Amino acid sequence: MAAGRCPGAVHVHDFADPQLGKAIPYGIYDLAANTGWVNVGTDHDTAAFAVESIRRWWRGQGQDAYPQATRLLITADAGGSNGYRTRAWKLELAQLSAETGLSITVCHLPPGTSKWNKIEHRLFSHITMNWHGRPLTSHEVILQTIAATTTRTGLRVDAALDTNAYPTGVRIGDAEMAALPLTRHAFHGDWNYVLHPRPAVPAARTPQTPEPEWDQALLSDPALTGMSRQQLDDLTETLAADGDTRRGRPPRLSFPEQVLATVLHLRVALAAEPLAVLFASSRTAMHRTLLKNRRLLKAHGVIIPPATTPPVALSALQARVHTQTRESNSKIKTTS
């Protein structure tokens, strides 16, 4: 160290500073172009903040770089603001898909493997080395340091400050989740899924428009199950020998209803919560039913492929769940 020069005093740990505020970096790394974009938030690291970061990247860089794009692939960690269990993450992405017209595929890295994500090795590692030893004393210093990051392989990085408010504790109801235009992949559908570019929630009805009468037969619509009603009956009969047991407490649902619920779960990605509403069951009973019947299908070598796009008939089911849930005012808190 040169004579007469002293390092500046800094905090040993990342304490919150009421004067300097927060700095929450959310990065997007374009694998093909070797470019990075970092949105530096000043409020909370929520799902809304994560998706807003993706939205800003798309508007500022993505749509100009890929004007003909119809799909967007996102690889994300398993937890945090973009975690696979976070309801708000999926809801916000559905809104982004509707805005942009892009089909958004999300592939989460398995829990505990976030360091496999390319963004760690090709973007944030270089940003960290670039600001190594430099106190981050202001938002301006943070933005300048991030934007100055380059590599020998041609990495370019842009950064922007996001001063919007992102409240925590946002509640997402069962009806909103059931209405999402979401298709899960056959392999680990909890980690891999697609959000399609159509309105995420059924359009609100005017007071003059009566609610259509609900017909339980809609649940077995071939457009939803991917098979004719006769094929569904045949499948039920095949599984009945092992699955339609009478031991213990009687089930809440008849066995044909249990099979139908499982087919809808696998075919159009309806979760246990909306299925419980549609079949007038409990969430716990539906979870157990789906777990049991998925094992049963696997034992019989039966595969129910997911629909490539959400069937139009799904909107009637979503409207039913929306109506029933609204009346019961059932809400579930997000994990973010």
Side-chain angles (χ1 to χ4, degrees):
M1 183 176 65
R5 295 185 61 185
C6 295
V10 296
H11 290 302
V12 177
H13 298 288
D14 185 20
F15 296 111
D17 191 310
Q19 294 180 332
L20 298 178
K22 295 182 180 179
I24 306 168
Y26 189 96
I28 291 91
Y29 175 66
D30 186 335
L31 285 167
N34 192 25
T35 58
W37 193 86
V38 181
N39 192 37
V40 179
T42 60
D43 191 43
H44 295 99
D45 185 13
T46 67
F49 168 64
V51 175
E52 177 62 19
S53 300
I54 298 170
R55 179 182 287 108
R56 290 184 173 203
W57 166 81
W58 175 252
R59 291 174 176 172
Q61 293 186 2
Q63 63 183 356
D64 292 333
Y66 307 102
Q68 304 301 320
T70 59
R71 298 179 297 169
L72 178 64
L73 171 63
I74 298 173
T75 58
D77 293 347
S81 58
N82 51 213
Y84 73 95
R85 293 181 177 178
T86 305
R87 287 186 164 203
W89 162 252
K90 297 182 179 69
L91 181 67
E92 294 286 344
L93 278 181
Q95 294 172 351
L96 178 61
S97 177
E99 291 172 17
T100 60
L102 296 170
S103 292
I104 300 178
T105 300
V106 183
C107 296
H108 291 276
L109 279 79
T113 64
S114 62
K115 295 305 177 184
W116 292 0
N117 201 331
K118 298 290 186 184
I119 196 171
E120 298 291 345
H121 306 284
R122 299 188 182 180
L123 179 62
F124 278 116
S125 62
H126 299 294
I127 292 174
T128 302
M129 287 188 291
N130 195 46
W131 68 29
H132 177 68
R134 182 179 185 183
L136 304 177
T137 54
S138 68
H139 290 129
E140 183 180 5
V141 169
I142 293 172
L143 294 175
Q144 290 176 349
T145 307
I146 292 175
T149 302
T150 59
T151 65
R152 294 178 181 177
T153 56
L155 173 68
R156 292 177 291 105
V157 185
D158 289 323
L161 188 65
D162 185 348
T163 58
N164 288 334
Y166 296 99
T168 59
V170 177
R171 296 174 181 269
I172 309 298
D174 293 350
E176 292 174 282
M177 291 304 297
L180 293 184
L182 183 148
T183 302
R184 298 185 184 276
H185 292 188
F187 178 77
H188 267 294
D190 50 344
W191 297 342
N192 307 289
Y193 46 86
V194 184
L195 289 147
H196 303 276
R198 66 179 182 80
V201 195
R205 295 182 174 275
T206 62
Q208 294 78 21
T209 307
E211 190 76 29
E213 185 176 350
W214 170 248
D215 185 356
Q216 199 75 3
L218 288 174
L219 293 170
S220 58
D221 188 327
L224 293 168
T225 62
M227 60 184 77
S228 67
R229 287 185 168 87
Q230 183 59 53
Q231 289 174 319
L232 182 61
D233 291 341
D234 293 342
L235 174 62
T236 303
E237 185 176 349
T238 299
L239 302 178
D242 299 320
D244 193 8
T245 57
R246 299 296 180 185
R247 293 174 296 178
R249 187 174 58 185
R252 293 173 181 263
L253 301 176
S254 67
F255 187 67
E257 288 177 321
Q258 294 181 44
V259 174
L260 175 56
T262 307
V263 169
L264 292 173
H265 170 65
L266 297 171
R267 177 70 179 171
V268 293
L270 283 177
E273 290 85 353
L275 284 171
V277 175
L278 292 169
F279 286 87
S281 180
S282 72
R283 185 189 314 172
T284 301
M286 186 58 70
H287 271 297
R288 291 173 178 170
T289 293
L290 297 178
L291 180 61
K292 179 194 73 172
N293 285 342
R294 289 184 70 159
R295 292 172 177 170
L296 191 60
L297 288 168
K298 184 176 181 180
H300 282 262
V302 178
I303 298 175
I304 307 296
T308 54
T309 57
V312 175
L314 184 60
S315 61
L317 273 60
Q318 295 167 340
R320 173 66 173 178
V321 174
H322 189 268
T323 299
Q324 294 294 101
T325 310
R326 182 181 58 207
E327 291 174 357
S328 62
N329 197 29
S330 173
K331 297 290 181 181
I332 291 182
K333 188 175 180 180
T334 69
T335 57
S336 62

